[in-house]
Structures are given as structure tokens and as C-alpha cells.
Amino acid sequence: LLFFSLKVIASDLIVESYAKHYPALIDTLWHITHDKSVIILVVELRSEGDLKFFSLLQDHGFKYERLSDDKLSPQWRADE
């Protein structure tokens, strides 16, 4: 079998008000990816509640690398 490196790119999905949907999102990511996949989620953390997603992500066997918010261009940062 030939595996390719699937890339999933998403933005602004991790917001505390969407928390009830985190399990479904993680389940979907689990089913459409494999161990060679790369998932890029662009997230500006707005509250401590947003961190719940990353705990759930790890609980489901995903690994992630967080880049500091200061790496975001000021042009793309939220005003709040």
C-alpha cells in the first residue's frame, strides 16, 4: 500500500462556544487521517476553555506542536 501525507488545514474552529463539537471534530480527524498525516489548525487562543480541545486531542492519540501566538502577524490577530 502506498500512503501519502494527507494535510488537513483549518482555521478558527477552536473556540470555547464550539466545545460541544470538539469530540465530533476529533473523531472526524481520526477517521480521515493516518500516522503520516499533517493537520494544521490555525488558532488564536481567546480563553482558557479553548485549551480543552488540545487535551482531548492528546487523549485521542494525536500529537501537536504549539507555536506561540506572537508568531501570528498582527494583521491576522483578533482585536479582542
Side-chain angles (χ1 to χ4, degrees):
L1 268 181
L2 181 64
F3 283 103
F4 60 93
S5 179
L6 174 68
K7 291 180 179 60
V8 177
I9 301 172
S11 176
D12 296 322
L13 295 174
I14 313 309
V15 180
E16 190 173 13
S17 60
Y18 299 162
K20 69 180 181 180
H21 302 291
Y22 291 170
L25 173 58
I26 292 170
D27 190 50
T28 299
L29 292 172
W30 180 258
H31 282 87
I32 66 169
T33 61
H34 54 77
D35 63 339
K36 302 268 190 251
S37 297
V38 175
I39 302 169
I40 299 171
L41 296 175
V42 180
V43 177
E44 185 175 1
L45 297 177
R46 294 177 175 90
S47 73
E48 289 292 318
D50 294 346
L51 296 174
K52 178 182 177 187
F53 174 80
F54 296 99
S55 294
L56 291 171
L57 200 63
Q58 285 184 304
D59 291 347
H60 284 80
F62 287 95
K63 297 177 193 167
Y64 73 90
E65 178 181 353
R66 180 178 176 207
L67 301 179
S68 175
D69 287 346
D70 66 354
K71 302 283 187 215
L72 271 175
S73 166
Q75 175 182 1
W76 304 111
R77 292 184 195 172
D79 292 332
E80 68 252 2

